[in-house]
Amino acid sequence: MSDGASPTLIPAGTHFTAADITFYADPENRTLNEALSEADLLVSCPHSGAAIPEELSEFLAPEFTRRLQFDFSDVSTSAVVRRWAEIDPRIVYVENPHPRMIRDPNRAKPSDLAGSLAAALERVRAAGPYQPVDLSGVDAVRPVTFAFYPLLLVPQDEAQLRHLTDTFAAVAERGLGVYERTRDELRARFIAIKLEQARTSAQPHHFTALSFHDTMNHTAARDGAVCVARAPKDRLPQIVALSNRGDNEGDPRGDEPVTMAPVTLRRLADAHRTAFGAHSPSDVGLNIPYLGGQEIIDAAAHFERVREDAETAGLSLSAVQAEFLREYLLGENNTAILSQPGTGWVAPAPEHVDRVARACKAAWDSFHAR
């Protein structure tokens, strides 16, 4: 475990490229275009980045430790999906190198970033220090963690707020912006390639956009121990929740369309139960506690624009969110370490990471074979 208390920083001036954040099997012998031709699954991790650009360090609250920094990310997804991409030629993976504190790409982008953050700050002030606060609708940039611990220093006037948001926006273009553009460009390239393949083949084709996340069923205590149980309504299943914006059976909720057909989502859930050795059917849940965020909403909207061409060609298009239980991705040993007081984080356990990655591959292989 890293015992450092200070947050981990990305050196100032770092600019990421699409090649830095795109992963696929055997890149020494395959081009990205070849990988896209052979794959049928685009995996995106919008919250896997944890390191904070150094330019933003002046805005960090002094209480914000490395433990809280990593807990505020889905950093456990990075090792798992990078390993999955190494062993599975059927996926291409794109990873956000920036933390969600800059702006959350799985939330709708606010038209007024400063106004959204100002509203969030006002709600935090009204609730009081360390108190739960509803940030619905203004959480694209959060001033507190999900455990309601201070993340950002509170701007004292309009000029400080503008300085903060301007700096965040400028820095975001070097990583978060690269991620969003790369994710969208890869999705468009996938669709073009799969449409052409479907038109020239008698076999049905499919393409899925998978937004991959983790959430812990515990939040951090004041001493850093990640041991405070979430309310039952906020807890994940013991392995993963798969979401298509539907209900707990995957069926539509009212008039809102689903991003993956209900019967398809149920097949995917069964494939995960088998591949991950679920002890109970409820270990893999549907749309609980999350319906799926902006990434699958945007993917489904993109698919809708090409749906007529896809149906004519025999290409099925789906989007789904996978929210893994972080305790599951961490493994028992690392979870036990983080349940104790501290300021540092844990290193991924390679054997455990490999097992989870291979189970992901097995689940999707089984799903596609059915």
Side-chain angles (χ1 to χ4, degrees):
M1 183 178 80
S2 171
D3 293 322
S6 300
T8 300
L9 302 179
I10 299 170
T14 299
H15 290 252
F16 291 91
T17 68
D20 293 331
I21 62 173
T22 304
F23 305 88
Y24 54 91
D26 196 19
E28 297 82 7
N29 298 300
R30 293 198 306 161
T31 66
L32 175 58
N33 207 55
E34 288 171 334
L36 294 171
S37 296
E38 296 175 27
D40 45 36
L41 181 63
L42 174 63
V43 185
S44 58
C45 283
H47 301 147
S48 52
I52 297 168
E54 189 175 6
E55 293 91 336
L56 305 182
S57 58
E58 66 174 291
F59 305 109
L60 297 178
E63 303 93 332
F64 194 54
T65 65
R66 189 172 302 178
R67 173 74 60 90
L68 296 177
Q69 172 189 12
F70 280 73
D71 186 54
F72 190 55
S73 75
D74 295 5
V75 71
S76 299
T77 63
S78 177
V80 168
V81 186
R82 287 193 187 198
R83 178 58 180 153
W84 181 11
E86 286 180 350
I87 63 175
D88 189 351
R90 296 182 65 170
I91 82 166
V92 173
Y93 167 43
V94 58
E95 176 177 292
N96 184 10
H98 278 174
R100 60 160 38 105
M101 66 163 284
I102 294 178
R103 179 175 55 77
D104 190 337
N106 203 37
R107 302 287 190 274
K109 186 176 181 179
S111 57
D112 178 8
L113 185 62
S116 177
L117 181 56
L121 288 165
E122 183 54 40
R123 294 187 197 181
V124 170
R125 286 193 193 97
Y130 299 96
Q131 296 304 306
V133 57
D134 182 6
L135 295 176
S136 299
V138 294
D139 61 348
V141 177
R142 295 176 58 100
V144 294
T145 71
F146 292 122
F148 307 106
Y149 288 8
L151 166 59
L152 300 176
L153 293 169
V154 177
Q156 298 303 304
D157 53 37
E158 182 66 29
Q160 288 186 6
L161 177 62
R162 179 57 61 184
H163 173 52
L164 185 156
T165 54
D166 285 351
T167 306
F168 270 51
V171 171
E173 283 306 298
R174 305 170 193 165
L176 167 63
V178 177
Y179 166 76
E180 291 179 319
R181 290 188 293 274
T182 302
R183 177 200 61 201
D184 294 351
E185 289 167 5
L186 287 172
R187 186 172 62 216
R189 288 176 67 181
F190 252 122
I191 292 172
I193 290 170
K194 297 308 162 188
L195 276 172
E196 182 61 25
Q197 289 176 341
R199 291 186 183 112
T200 57
S201 170
Q203 300 297 319
H205 284 70
H206 48 259
F207 167 63
T208 306
L210 168 64
S211 187
F212 197 101
H213 305 252
D214 74 29
T215 293
M216 209 158 185
N217 275 352
H218 296 81
T219 59
R222 295 285 290 272
D223 61 7
V226 188
C227 63
V228 181
R230 291 183 183 269
K233 68 180 179 63
D234 296 325
R235 294 177 196 166
L236 277 168
Q238 289 304 300
I239 297 176
V240 65
L242 302 174
S243 299
N244 69 341
R245 304 291 299 173
D247 64 17
N248 294 159
E249 297 296 323
D251 294 316
R253 297 173 302 113
D255 295 331
E256 181 174 356
V258 293
T259 61
M260 173 178 273
V263 65
T264 305
L265 185 68
R266 291 191 285 268
R267 285 199 298 108
L268 183 62
D270 285 341
H272 278 72
R273 292 182 183 108
T274 299
F276 285 89
H279 297 295
S280 166
S282 63
D283 287 348
V284 177
L286 303 182
N287 297 298
I288 181 170
Y290 308 123
L291 302 177
Q294 196 66 35
E295 287 208 324
I296 65 170
I297 293 172
D298 288 346
H302 188 165
F303 296 158
E304 191 60 34
R305 293 193 290 272
V306 299
R307 186 163 303 280
E308 185 174 343
D309 287 344
E311 289 177 349
T312 300
L315 172 65
S316 63
L317 300 169
S318 298
V320 63
Q321 178 171 300
E323 190 91 34
F324 276 83
L325 180 66
R326 186 176 302 162
E327 288 91 333
Y328 187 87
L329 295 190
L330 286 168
E332 290 184 6
N333 290 341
N334 276 344
T335 297
I337 292 170
L338 293 175
S339 70
Q340 301 301 310
T343 57
W345 196 252
V346 292
E351 291 184 0
H352 178 72
V353 166
D354 184 68
R355 283 195 296 271
V356 176
R358 291 185 183 279
C360 289
K361 180 180 186 302
W364 285 88
D365 283 347
S366 174
F367 168 71
H368 285 137
R370 297 185 182 196

